[in-house]
Amino acid sequence: MTALLESAAPPGEPAPVEPRRSWQPVLWTLPPVLVVVLIAVYPISRVLWESTETKSGGRGTETWTQVLGSESFRNALWRTVMIAASSTLGCLVLGTFLAIVLAFVPFPGSGVVGRLIDTVLTLPSFLVTLAFTFLYGTAGAVNALIGEITGSTEPALNYLSTPWGVILAEITFFTPFVVRPLLAAFAQLPREQLDVASSLGASPWRVLGQVVLPEAWPALAAGGSLVLLLTLNEFGIVLFTGAKGVITLPALIYTRGIVTFDLPGAAVLATVQVLLSLTLYIGYRLVFARLTSARKES
């Protein structure tokens, strides 16, 4: 190759030097690729492989057919989606309200409230369920107070072991994941834009609907998508609050894999759980990209 380059060069001019191939980009890329393979690709591939094991020790779709056709799977899937969607909707409504109040309605102690909301992000989810048990459980403080007032010996509140108890606990725990992105988006909103809208005679509700919320849509979508993913895979709150009365996909995976030691069945359920999470994540990325491009075009 060098001889051909030298023969092709004009007389009196140096021959062009063949560029050397650099392996440095490959060496920099290799460690993160290996980390992703070890912590993500291999476990998912192993779970998928275990899900094909049959009772006879061979490989096939027998376990998939049995698990996906069972009533327990259908009930757990429906309950998981219902709880996740209801909790996300509640977090969006409550989180938006709290963020608007903290950002635009000054009151004494607003900074302390904001820091308390941030503190919830650092707590484990089972602490919320324990607090709910002490407050709203059948032997909790609220039922004790109602019993003293009414003289009834039966608990007035008995919903913690139902899906509504799980939803309320998840709304309480995951609402800060909506509040924090919204507060960051409101902080970047130009105050001059709000002042101009108010000076033109727009009511506070109109300013909120036509100026504030359109600018906060990406943050709202990001927070809502994150909450939906977290509630879809939540296990601690369901285990502590719902107990045996609320069976979601994560709880069913735990039961199959740990209690009954049905590893192939648990692998099938885990694969379905991963597919749900990946579908939601891809949908979130598409929606977020569309919202971002729409804002840039406008």
Side-chain angles (χ1 to χ4, degrees):
M1 185 66 182
T2 305
L4 292 176
L5 292 174
E6 290 177 353
S7 62
E13 294 185 7
V17 180
E18 184 180 3
R20 295 181 178 180
R21 179 178 296 178
S22 176
W23 292 96
Q24 188 174 3
V26 178
L27 295 177
W28 279 106
T29 307
L30 191 58
V33 170
L34 290 177
V35 170
V36 172
V37 169
L38 289 175
I39 68 175
V41 177
Y42 172 73
I44 294 176
S45 302
R46 183 60 185 270
V47 168
L48 184 60
W49 175 253
E50 291 292 336
S51 68
T52 61
E53 183 178 349
T54 61
K55 293 182 179 180
S56 60
R59 298 290 171 179
T61 59
E62 176 186 343
T63 305
W64 279 84
T65 304
Q66 179 185 2
V67 172
L68 298 184
S70 63
E71 184 179 359
S72 61
F73 166 75
R74 292 193 296 268
N75 292 337
L77 178 62
W78 158 248
R79 195 171 290 112
T80 301
V81 174
M82 186 272 292
I83 290 176
S86 302
S87 301
T88 302
L89 180 61
C91 289
L92 289 174
V93 174
L94 181 59
T96 302
F97 172 76
L98 292 176
I100 291 173
V101 171
L102 291 174
F104 302 109
V105 184
F107 62 92
S110 59
V112 176
V113 174
R115 290 182 178 86
L116 288 176
I117 292 176
D118 292 339
T119 304
V120 175
L121 299 175
T122 65
L123 300 176
S125 59
F126 70 85
L127 288 181
V128 175
T129 62
L130 287 179
F132 267 58
T133 302
F134 295 146
L135 287 174
Y136 309 113
T138 54
V142 175
N143 274 319
L145 180 60
I146 295 176
E148 290 183 1
I149 295 175
T150 61
S152 174
T153 57
E154 296 294 328
L157 301 178
N158 189 16
Y159 64 90
L160 285 186
S161 59
T162 68
W164 294 110
V166 176
I167 291 172
L168 185 58
E170 289 188 353
I171 290 175
T172 304
F173 183 75
F174 290 111
T175 292
F177 290 89
V178 175
V179 175
R180 182 44 55 192
L182 282 178
L183 288 178
F186 292 157
Q188 297 177 358
L189 189 65
R191 294 291 175 175
E192 296 81 6
Q193 190 174 357
L194 301 178
D195 295 336
V196 170
S198 300
S199 64
L200 294 177
S203 64
W205 289 108
R206 188 172 182 181
V207 173
L208 178 65
Q210 297 184 359
V211 179
V212 176
L213 290 182
E215 294 293 330
W217 272 120
L220 193 63
S225 301
L226 177 61
V227 169
L228 186 60
L229 284 172
L230 293 174
T231 53
L232 190 73
N233 298 284
E234 177 59 34
F235 175 69
I237 291 178
V238 176
L239 180 64
F240 277 83
T241 304
K244 296 182 180 180
V246 181
I247 303 299
T248 59
L249 276 182
L252 192 59
I253 293 171
Y254 173 81
T255 302
R256 287 245 184 178
I258 304 301
V259 179
T260 63
F261 208 66
D262 180 13
L263 295 182
V268 172
L269 296 171
T271 304
V272 174
Q273 186 80 27
V274 170
L275 290 177
L276 281 176
S277 299
L278 289 177
T279 302
L280 286 176
Y281 177 74
I282 293 173
Y284 153 69
R285 295 301 303 175
L286 293 176
V287 172
F288 186 77
R290 180 169 296 182
L291 289 173
T292 304
S293 60
R295 286 190 62 190
K296 291 181 178 178
E297 291 176 0
S298 61

